[in-house]
Amino acid sequence: MTRLKSRHTRHFAVLGVGLALVTLPLAACSDDAEDDVVTTSQPPPPTAADRLEQAHDVLVDAGSVHLQMTGTDLPEDVNSYIISATGAGTMDPPAFDGTITARLAGVQADVPTIAVDGNLYVKLPYVPRHVRTAPSDLGVPDPATLFDPEVGLVGLLPQTVDPEFGDRSRAGAEVLQEITGTLPGEAVVDLLYAGDRSSEFDVVYGLVEDDWEVRTVTITGPFYPPAESTYTLTLDQYGAPVTVTAP
Protein backbone atom coordinates (compact mmCIF):
# COMPACT_ATOMS: atom_id res chain seq x y z
CA MET A 1 0.00 0.00 0.00
CA THR A 2 2.80 2.40 0.87
CA ARG A 3 4.61 1.53 -2.38
CA LEU A 4 1.41 2.26 -4.41
CA LYS A 5 0.95 5.61 -2.68
CA SER A 6 4.55 6.57 -3.36
CA ARG A 7 4.15 5.68 -7.02
CA HIS A 8 1.03 7.86 -7.27
CA THR A 9 2.81 10.72 -5.51
CA ARG A 10 5.70 10.60 -7.99
CA HIS A 11 3.24 10.48 -10.90
CA PHE A 12 1.41 13.65 -9.76
CA ALA A 13 4.70 15.41 -9.12
CA VAL A 14 5.89 14.70 -12.65
CA LEU A 15 2.50 15.81 -14.02
CA GLY A 16 2.68 19.07 -12.05
CA VAL A 17 6.15 19.88 -13.36
CA GLY A 18 5.00 19.21 -16.93
CA LEU A 19 2.04 21.51 -16.58
CA ALA A 20 4.26 24.23 -15.17
CA LEU A 21 6.64 23.94 -18.13
CA VAL A 22 3.74 24.19 -20.57
CA THR A 23 2.18 27.17 -18.76
CA LEU A 24 5.38 29.27 -18.70
CA PRO A 25 5.68 29.78 -22.47
CA LEU A 26 1.95 30.46 -22.72
CA ALA A 27 2.24 33.21 -20.13
CA ALA A 28 5.22 34.64 -21.95
CA CYS A 29 3.27 34.63 -25.22
CA SER A 30 0.38 36.36 -23.51
CA ASP A 31 2.70 39.10 -22.21
CA ASP A 32 4.23 39.51 -25.66
CA ALA A 33 0.78 39.82 -27.21
CA GLU A 34 -0.14 42.56 -24.75
CA ASP A 35 3.08 44.37 -25.60
CA ASP A 36 2.25 44.11 -29.31
CA VAL A 37 -1.17 45.66 -28.73
CA VAL A 38 0.39 48.61 -27.00
CA THR A 39 3.14 49.24 -29.55
CA THR A 40 1.02 48.82 -32.72
CA SER A 41 -1.76 51.30 -31.93
CA GLN A 42 -3.41 52.85 -35.01
CA PRO A 43 -2.69 56.51 -35.92
CA PRO A 44 -5.56 58.97 -35.43
CA PRO A 45 -7.91 59.40 -38.41
CA PRO A 46 -7.33 62.40 -40.72
CA THR A 47 -8.79 65.69 -39.52
CA ALA A 48 -10.77 68.12 -41.67
CA ALA A 49 -7.63 70.24 -41.98
CA ASP A 50 -5.71 67.17 -43.19
CA ARG A 51 -8.31 66.55 -45.90
CA LEU A 52 -8.16 70.19 -47.04
CA GLU A 53 -4.38 69.93 -47.29
CA GLN A 54 -4.74 66.75 -49.34
CA ALA A 55 -7.35 68.38 -51.60
CA HIS A 56 -5.04 71.38 -52.06
CA ASP A 57 -2.24 69.14 -53.35
CA VAL A 58 -4.58 67.22 -55.67
CA LEU A 59 -5.84 70.44 -57.25
CA VAL A 60 -2.37 71.92 -57.71
CA ASP A 61 -1.04 68.69 -59.21
CA ALA A 62 -3.91 68.66 -61.74
CA GLY A 63 -2.56 71.77 -63.46
CA SER A 64 -5.86 72.50 -65.21
CA VAL A 65 -9.55 72.31 -64.37
CA HIS A 66 -12.99 73.23 -65.67
CA LEU A 67 -14.89 75.76 -63.56
CA GLN A 68 -18.49 76.83 -63.25
CA MET A 69 -19.46 79.65 -60.88
CA THR A 70 -22.97 80.82 -60.00
CA GLY A 71 -24.08 83.69 -57.78
CA THR A 72 -27.32 83.77 -55.81
CA ASP A 73 -29.06 86.43 -53.69
CA LEU A 74 -27.26 89.11 -55.70
CA PRO A 75 -28.45 92.70 -55.20
CA GLU A 76 -30.33 94.60 -57.88
CA ASP A 77 -28.95 98.00 -56.95
CA VAL A 78 -25.28 97.26 -57.77
CA ASN A 79 -24.19 98.26 -61.28
CA SER A 80 -21.37 95.76 -61.93
CA TYR A 81 -20.82 92.23 -60.68
CA ILE A 82 -20.43 88.68 -61.92
CA ILE A 83 -23.60 86.60 -62.06
CA SER A 84 -22.04 83.39 -63.34
CA ALA A 85 -19.03 82.08 -65.23
CA THR A 86 -18.08 78.91 -67.04
CA GLY A 87 -14.85 77.89 -68.71
CA ALA A 88 -11.51 76.15 -68.32
CA GLY A 89 -8.24 77.34 -66.89
CA THR A 90 -4.59 76.46 -66.38
CA MET A 91 -2.32 77.10 -63.41
CA ASP A 92 1.01 77.47 -65.21
CA PRO A 93 0.59 80.12 -66.39
CA PRO A 94 -2.67 81.19 -64.72
CA ALA A 95 -5.13 81.59 -67.60
CA PHE A 96 -8.85 81.33 -68.38
CA ASP A 97 -10.97 80.85 -71.50
CA GLY A 98 -14.74 80.90 -71.15
CA THR A 99 -17.84 83.04 -70.82
CA ILE A 100 -18.73 85.37 -67.97
CA THR A 101 -22.32 86.45 -67.40
CA ALA A 102 -22.14 89.82 -65.72
CA ARG A 103 -24.12 92.89 -64.87
CA LEU A 104 -22.27 95.76 -66.53
CA ALA A 105 -23.50 99.31 -65.96
CA GLY A 106 -26.83 97.85 -64.93
CA VAL A 107 -27.20 95.63 -68.00
CA GLN A 108 -26.83 91.83 -67.95
CA ALA A 109 -24.64 90.36 -70.69
CA ASP A 110 -22.82 87.17 -71.63
CA VAL A 111 -19.20 88.11 -72.23
CA PRO A 112 -16.78 85.68 -73.94
CA THR A 113 -13.54 86.17 -72.02
CA ILE A 114 -9.88 85.23 -72.35
CA ALA A 115 -7.41 86.04 -69.58
CA VAL A 116 -3.74 85.17 -70.12
CA ASP A 117 -0.30 86.68 -69.48
CA GLY A 118 -1.81 89.36 -67.26
CA ASN A 119 -4.10 90.60 -70.02
CA LEU A 120 -7.90 90.45 -70.22
CA TYR A 121 -9.71 90.17 -73.55
CA VAL A 122 -13.51 90.42 -73.68
CA LYS A 123 -16.09 90.39 -76.44
CA LEU A 124 -18.64 92.96 -75.34
CA PRO A 125 -22.21 93.14 -76.70
CA TYR A 126 -22.38 94.58 -80.22
CA VAL A 127 -18.59 94.38 -80.58
CA PRO A 128 -17.53 91.81 -83.23
CA ARG A 129 -14.16 90.93 -81.72
CA HIS A 130 -12.33 90.65 -78.42
CA VAL A 131 -10.99 93.91 -77.04
CA ARG A 132 -8.26 94.27 -74.48
CA THR A 133 -9.30 95.80 -71.18
CA ALA A 134 -8.58 95.73 -67.45
CA PRO A 135 -10.69 93.95 -64.82
CA SER A 136 -10.92 97.16 -62.80
CA ASP A 137 -12.53 98.92 -65.78
CA LEU A 138 -15.36 96.38 -65.74
CA GLY A 139 -15.57 96.04 -61.97
CA VAL A 140 -14.89 92.29 -62.14
CA PRO A 141 -12.01 90.07 -60.95
CA ASP A 142 -9.33 88.81 -63.30
CA PRO A 143 -10.62 85.28 -63.99
CA ALA A 144 -7.06 84.02 -64.52
CA THR A 145 -6.40 84.72 -60.84
CA LEU A 146 -8.88 82.00 -59.91
CA PHE A 147 -6.41 79.44 -61.27
CA ASP A 148 -3.24 80.82 -59.68
CA PRO A 149 -1.72 77.92 -57.67
CA GLU A 150 -0.74 80.22 -54.80
CA VAL A 151 -3.25 83.06 -54.51
CA GLY A 152 -6.13 81.60 -56.52
CA LEU A 153 -9.06 79.47 -55.50
CA VAL A 154 -6.76 76.70 -54.28
CA GLY A 155 -5.15 79.24 -51.94
CA LEU A 156 -8.37 79.48 -49.94
CA LEU A 157 -8.08 75.93 -48.60
CA PRO A 158 -5.15 76.51 -46.21
CA GLN A 159 -6.71 79.82 -45.08
CA THR A 160 -9.90 78.13 -43.91
CA VAL A 161 -10.44 78.82 -40.20
CA ASP A 162 -11.74 76.10 -37.85
CA PRO A 163 -12.50 73.48 -40.53
CA GLU A 164 -14.89 70.73 -39.46
CA PHE A 165 -16.44 67.72 -41.14
CA GLY A 166 -20.03 68.21 -42.25
CA ASP A 167 -22.54 65.97 -44.00
CA ARG A 168 -21.80 63.30 -46.56
CA SER A 169 -23.92 63.32 -49.70
CA ARG A 170 -24.09 61.62 -53.07
CA ALA A 171 -23.75 63.57 -56.31
CA GLY A 172 -24.30 61.11 -59.15
CA ALA A 173 -21.68 58.38 -58.82
CA GLU A 174 -19.59 60.41 -56.36
CA VAL A 175 -19.77 60.64 -52.58
CA LEU A 176 -18.92 64.10 -51.29
CA GLN A 177 -17.63 64.85 -47.81
CA GLU A 178 -18.51 68.37 -46.70
CA ILE A 179 -16.00 70.46 -44.77
CA THR A 180 -17.24 73.71 -43.25
CA GLY A 181 -15.32 76.70 -41.96
CA THR A 182 -14.83 80.43 -42.38
CA LEU A 183 -12.60 82.57 -44.59
CA PRO A 184 -11.12 85.98 -43.79
CA GLY A 185 -12.68 88.79 -45.78
CA GLU A 186 -9.34 89.88 -47.21
CA ALA A 187 -8.79 86.49 -48.87
CA VAL A 188 -12.25 86.54 -50.46
CA VAL A 189 -12.05 90.15 -51.67
CA ASP A 190 -8.58 89.68 -53.16
CA LEU A 191 -9.83 86.68 -55.13
CA LEU A 192 -13.34 87.70 -56.21
CA TYR A 193 -12.93 91.47 -56.24
CA ALA A 194 -16.02 91.92 -54.10
CA GLY A 195 -16.92 91.84 -50.43
CA ASP A 196 -16.28 93.40 -47.03
CA ARG A 197 -12.63 92.95 -46.03
CA SER A 198 -13.43 93.26 -42.34
CA SER A 199 -16.00 90.44 -42.33
CA GLU A 200 -15.76 86.68 -42.23
CA PHE A 201 -17.31 84.52 -44.94
CA ASP A 202 -18.79 81.07 -44.44
CA VAL A 203 -17.40 78.38 -46.72
CA VAL A 204 -18.49 74.81 -47.46
CA TYR A 205 -16.26 72.50 -49.49
CA GLY A 206 -17.49 69.32 -51.14
CA LEU A 207 -14.58 66.85 -51.46
CA VAL A 208 -14.83 63.64 -53.47
CA GLU A 209 -14.07 60.80 -51.06
CA ASP A 210 -12.33 58.53 -53.60
CA ASP A 211 -9.57 60.93 -54.65
CA TRP A 212 -10.20 64.08 -52.55
CA GLU A 213 -10.77 66.37 -55.49
CA VAL A 214 -12.43 69.66 -54.61
CA ARG A 215 -15.75 69.38 -56.39
CA THR A 216 -17.65 72.33 -54.95
CA VAL A 217 -16.83 75.51 -53.03
CA THR A 218 -19.72 77.56 -51.63
CA ILE A 219 -18.88 80.96 -50.13
CA THR A 220 -21.52 83.05 -48.37
CA GLY A 221 -21.19 86.52 -46.89
CA PRO A 222 -21.35 90.28 -47.48
CA PHE A 223 -20.10 90.37 -51.07
CA TYR A 224 -22.24 93.46 -51.65
CA PRO A 225 -23.01 94.74 -48.14
CA PRO A 226 -25.33 94.95 -46.43
CA ALA A 227 -26.76 92.09 -48.51
CA GLU A 228 -25.57 88.50 -47.96
CA SER A 229 -24.85 86.71 -51.23
CA THR A 230 -23.49 83.34 -52.21
CA TYR A 231 -21.09 82.18 -54.91
CA THR A 232 -20.91 78.47 -55.65
CA LEU A 233 -18.02 77.12 -57.70
CA THR A 234 -17.97 73.66 -59.24
CA LEU A 235 -14.67 72.15 -60.38
CA ASP A 236 -14.27 69.11 -62.61
CA GLN A 237 -12.26 67.71 -65.55
CA TYR A 238 -9.07 67.74 -63.49
CA GLY A 239 -5.96 67.61 -65.67
CA ALA A 240 -7.84 67.76 -68.99
CA PRO A 241 -5.75 69.36 -71.77
CA VAL A 242 -6.37 73.12 -71.88
CA THR A 243 -4.69 75.69 -74.12
CA VAL A 244 -5.36 79.40 -73.64
CA THR A 245 -3.99 81.90 -76.16
CA ALA A 246 -4.56 85.61 -76.72
CA PRO A 247 -7.02 86.36 -79.54
Side-chain angles (χ1 to χ4, degrees):
M1 184 69 179
T2 302
R3 184 179 301 174
L4 180 59
K5 182 178 179 180
S6 176
R7 187 183 306 156
H8 285 175
T9 301
R10 287 196 303 270
H11 175 74
F12 287 125
V14 171
L15 181 60
V17 171
L19 289 174
L21 292 175
V22 171
T23 304
L24 285 174
L26 289 176
C29 291
S30 177
D31 291 341
D32 291 342
E34 290 178 1
D35 291 341
D36 289 343
V37 171
V38 172
T39 58
T40 59
S41 58
Q42 295 297 318
T47 64
D50 294 334
R51 290 307 189 193
L52 289 182
E53 181 179 357
Q54 187 175 358
H56 171 279
D57 294 343
V58 170
L59 183 51
V60 171
D61 290 344
S64 66
V65 70
H66 181 271
L67 176 145
Q68 183 172 353
M69 181 171 71
T70 303
T72 54
D73 298 325
L74 301 173
E76 293 293 332
D77 57 349
V78 176
N79 284 332
S80 299
Y81 55 78
I82 289 181
I83 298 172
S84 62
T86 183
T90 61
M91 297 183 186
D92 186 18
F96 171 82
D97 188 351
T99 298
I100 295 176
T101 300
R103 185 179 178 91
L104 303 173
V107 178
Q108 181 173 325
D110 294 332
V111 183
T113 302
I114 296 174
V116 62
D117 297 330
N119 298 314
L120 182 64
Y121 305 89
V122 297
K123 188 181 287 186
L124 297 170
Y126 310 112
V127 178
R129 60 183 179 85
H130 285 86
V131 296
R132 182 176 172 181
T133 185
S136 57
D137 292 340
L138 300 178
V140 299
D142 181 351
T145 303
L146 290 170
F147 301 91
D148 190 294
E150 295 183 1
V151 300
L153 181 62
V154 68
L156 296 181
L157 276 72
Q159 297 187 69
T160 304
V161 180
D162 297 329
E164 295 182 354
F165 287 116
D167 296 333
R168 295 170 71 247
S169 61
R170 180 170 290 277
E174 297 178 334
V175 176
L176 302 185
Q177 170 65 66
E178 286 188 354
I179 293 181
T180 64
T182 60
L183 291 169
E186 290 184 356
V188 174
V189 174
D190 289 344
L191 181 63
L192 298 179
Y193 205 68
D196 181 1
R197 286 184 174 273
S198 63
S199 298
E200 288 186 340
F201 288 72
D202 294 327
V203 62
V204 180
Y205 301 99
L207 307 184
V208 181
E209 284 195 339
D210 285 345
D211 47 24
W212 300 106
E213 289 183 354
V214 180
R215 185 63 71 237
T216 59
V217 182
T218 302
I219 305 172
T220 301
F223 283 101
Y224 310 100
E228 291 249 328
S229 304
T230 298
Y231 279 106
T232 299
L233 300 93
T234 302
L235 309 176
D236 56 16
Q237 301 179 33
Y238 276 51
V242 176
T243 300
V244 181
T245 57

